[in-house]
Each structure stands twice: as C-alpha cells, then as structure tokens.
Amino acid sequence: MKLKKELGLFDVFAISTGAMFSSGFFLLPGLAAQHTGPSVILAYFLAGLLIMPAMFSIAEISTALPRSGGAYFFLDRSLGPMMGTIGGIGTYISLLLKTTFALVGIGAYASIFWDIPIKETAVTFAIIFAVVNIFGTSKSSGIQKILVVGLVVVLGAFIADGFWNIFLGNHSSIGFDKDNYSPFFTGGIEGLIFTTGFVFVSYLGLTKIASVAEEIKNPERNIPLGMALSLLVTGLIYVLGVFVMVSIIGNEDLAHDLSPAATAGEQLFSWLPPKTGLYIVVTAALLAFASTGNAGMLATSRYPLAMGRDKLFSEKFSKISRRGTPVPAILLTAGLIVLCIIVLTEEGIVK
C-alpha cells in the first residue's frame, strides 16, 4: 500500500526550508567566525553554492523514483541490500539525532521565557509532533507551513531592521563600520575553506524532502522547484542575516559569541519597548527549532517504512493506517527520539 499524495509545492518548500533553519542561524555564525572572521558571510554563500549538486541530484532521482525512504531507497536499488541497509540505518540515525537536537533546542530557548525543564519540554514536543504525524501528513505539513511562514517573516524583519540601522539609521548608535571587516580573512583562504565546510551542515536539511517523495503531487514539477525556492530563500536569509550580525557585533566579539542572533537582536528594534529585539529573536529560534523538529519527525519516520517494505526491518513498520500514515514507523521514531532526549546530554547528542 502506497502513501497518499497530499503534498504540493508549498509543502515541499516548507519542509525543506524548515529542515534547514536551527543552529545554522542561531549558533554557528559565532563559532564559524573564529576560523575566518568577517568572511564568514562569504562562507555561508559558498556553502549554499556547494549544496546545489546534491540538490540537483536528489531532485532528479526523486522525480524518477518518487518513493519513501530517501537515501536508503536510492542506495538499495543501485548498490544492493547491503549498502542500502548500511546507508539507510546510518542516515536514519543521523536524522534521528538531528531531530532530537532540534527538540532540545525548543526546550533550551523556551527556558529563556519560562522556568521550565529543558528535557521534559523536548519530550512533550516530540510526543506532540508524533501525534500530529499520525493524524495525517497534511496535518503535519499544515503546521510546518505555519511555522515556516512565521519564521521567514520574523527573520525578514530582523534583516530589514538591521539594514535600516546599519545604512539609514542616522539617529542610531549602530552604523556601518569598516573596521568590523578588517581583516576580512582572519584565517586566510584556508580558514575560509574550512569554515565553508563547517557551515555546510546548515543546508543539509534541503535534501530531506527525498524521504517523502512518494507523498508529493506532481513530483516532476514540485520537487525541483520547491527545493530551488527553498535554497534561494534560505541562502538569502543566511547571508544577509550573518552580514547584520557581523556589522552590529563586530569581528572580535562575534568570534566569542554563542548566540550572535540574540546579541544583535538586543540592539535592534530600538523603536519598540526594551528587550523586544531579544524576544523577537528568541521567538524566531523557537519557530526554527520547532519546524526542524516537525520536518525531522515526518522525514525520519519514512526510513523504517521503506526498510520494512523490503523486509530489512520488521514488516510491521511498513503498515499504513486508514489515515494514510505509517503509524508503527512514526511510533518507533518518536520512541527513539524520546530515549535519546532522556539518556543523552545535549553535548552527547551533537557528538
């Protein structure tokens, strides 16, 4: 039994975009700046270019073989069951842990507003997203679209206010200071190349859409177009957003800042009540981690489904409910995510 084709162009865009935003915007810029300085802006741009071959390859093969399972299905059909099993389980675990980290991120950022335990909050959201996915792919995608639209609007406001303060805000203490960009390559070309690879992970969520290709309507059009639009929007937000962070925070301070978006946000939106900028950035972070967690739950659960169909996992995981969702595969994925949240530390998840 095949899954229902319920996903359109906007769904493809929302899943791909939501899967890319999280630590790439809210954590990595400061860590990356340690190795290359202000040219971290260029590193994000180059990383966006380097993901394009993978995007075109995934778009082409997903169009030709629109089946659930993503990397597993492609490896199994091209290189055989052994490579399919190794690649499938490996990719499943990596997506599982990426989703786990995103859910922990929700708890971490939510604790800034409320006095709540991080792990219990992460477990709660794992259960919520699992239930939503069980009730239908369209329900999960509907929530994903709301999260992504909210995220893009908030980050768009962050970038717009940043550019206004940097270039046009005559009465603002923030302005364009060329000293923030000197030297532009603190680590030379080697540092730029290293940093490009370091931030490349920020774009890897783009190819997650392959695992739900079976559920996409008119895949020949919607998969490549949705992925291209997603990369364009995400790349622009990454490059322009990091430019705002470098301009406001400065080269030296950015390299030692683990939350540069929040630091920049505190200095923006001065025309609003105090700390509004910080609240806006924290809201964006919550939306980003939630969209990554929801998209991860949706995409990751298709791996046990596909491997169950080929009898590499128990055939129970290939069963599809009346609502058209792989309930056993979703429950397995949600259970493992909850286990990782409970057993592993935040650092352990990343490792």
Side-chain angles (χ1 to χ4, degrees):
M1 182 178 177
K2 289 188 177 182
L3 297 166
K4 295 180 181 178
K5 290 186 177 292
E6 299 181 307
L7 305 179
L9 177 61
F10 193 19
D11 299 287
V12 174
F13 170 82
I15 293 170
S16 295
T17 303
M20 281 189 277
F21 279 118
S22 57
S23 59
F25 190 91
F26 298 98
L27 174 65
L28 284 188
L31 297 173
Q34 296 176 11
H35 303 285
T36 194
S39 57
V40 64
I41 303 166
L42 183 57
Y44 271 90
F45 175 74
L46 293 174
L49 294 180
L50 292 174
I51 196 68
M52 291 180 71
M55 180 188 74
F56 289 130
S57 299
I58 290 294
E60 181 70 21
I61 198 167
S62 296
T63 299
L65 299 169
R67 297 292 299 276
S68 291
Y72 157 71
F73 185 78
F74 305 146
L75 286 169
D76 181 81
R77 295 304 185 270
S78 60
L79 300 176
M82 180 181 291
M83 293 305 297
T85 302
I86 295 171
I89 293 176
T91 306
Y92 179 62
I93 293 173
S94 69
L95 291 177
L96 196 78
L97 292 170
K98 180 178 174 62
T99 305
T100 302
F101 184 65
L103 294 169
V104 171
I106 297 175
Y109 269 85
S111 65
I112 296 175
F113 281 136
W114 304 283
D115 184 19
I116 55 176
I118 294 175
K119 288 201 170 188
E120 286 80 347
T121 303
V123 169
T124 300
F125 274 92
I127 295 170
I128 290 172
F129 289 141
V131 171
V132 170
N133 274 270
I134 287 171
F135 274 95
T137 303
S138 60
K139 301 289 190 305
S140 176
S141 182
I143 291 178
Q144 186 71 9
K145 287 185 281 190
I146 294 171
L147 293 171
V148 168
V149 168
L151 176 62
V152 171
V153 169
V154 173
L155 292 182
F158 172 86
I159 292 169
D161 197 75
F163 269 73
W164 172 265
N165 279 279
I166 293 166
F167 295 110
L168 302 173
N170 297 326
H171 303 291
S172 171
S173 60
I174 305 169
F176 184 79
D177 186 352
K178 63 181 182 181
D179 290 339
N180 286 341
Y181 294 88
S182 181
F184 191 63
F185 299 97
T186 59
I189 296 301
E190 295 84 359
L192 176 64
I193 294 173
F194 174 85
T195 307
T196 300
F198 186 73
V199 302
F200 184 75
V201 68
S202 303
Y203 293 94
L204 289 182
L206 179 68
T207 57
K208 271 188 182 179
I209 198 65
S211 62
V212 294
E214 185 177 313
E215 298 158 83
I216 297 173
K217 295 179 285 188
N218 191 10
E220 294 82 2
R221 169 184 178 271
N222 290 334
I223 291 178
L225 183 57
M227 292 177 74
L229 289 172
S230 177
L231 179 60
L232 176 63
V233 171
T234 303
L236 280 173
I237 290 176
Y238 272 140
V239 172
L240 297 180
V242 172
F243 170 79
V244 170
M245 295 179 207
V246 173
S247 299
I248 292 176
I249 301 173
N251 178 22
E252 292 185 7
D253 291 338
L254 179 63
H256 300 92
D257 197 331
L258 292 178
S259 55
T263 302
E266 283 188 282
Q267 299 185 55
L268 297 177
F269 302 99
S270 57
W271 47 280
L272 293 172
K275 291 193 175 182
T276 300
L278 175 61
Y279 295 149
I280 287 174
V281 171
V282 171
T283 299
L286 288 172
L287 290 170
F289 282 113
S291 64
T292 300
N294 184 54
M297 186 74 72
L298 175 65
T300 308
S301 63
R302 272 46 182 178
Y303 280 81
L305 166 70
M307 297 180 78
R309 284 173 169 174
D310 291 340
K311 300 180 181 180
L312 295 175
F313 274 18
S314 170
E315 288 187 72
K316 293 179 180 179
F317 295 116
S318 66
K319 292 183 179 179
I320 298 172
S321 71
R322 291 175 297 175
R323 295 185 177 89
T325 56
V327 175
I330 293 171
L331 291 176
L332 172 68
T333 301
L336 290 174
I337 288 173
V338 169
L339 181 64
C340 289
I341 293 171
I342 295 172
V343 173
L344 299 176
T345 63
E346 290 85 348
E347 185 180 358
I349 294 169
V350 175
K351 286 182 178 179

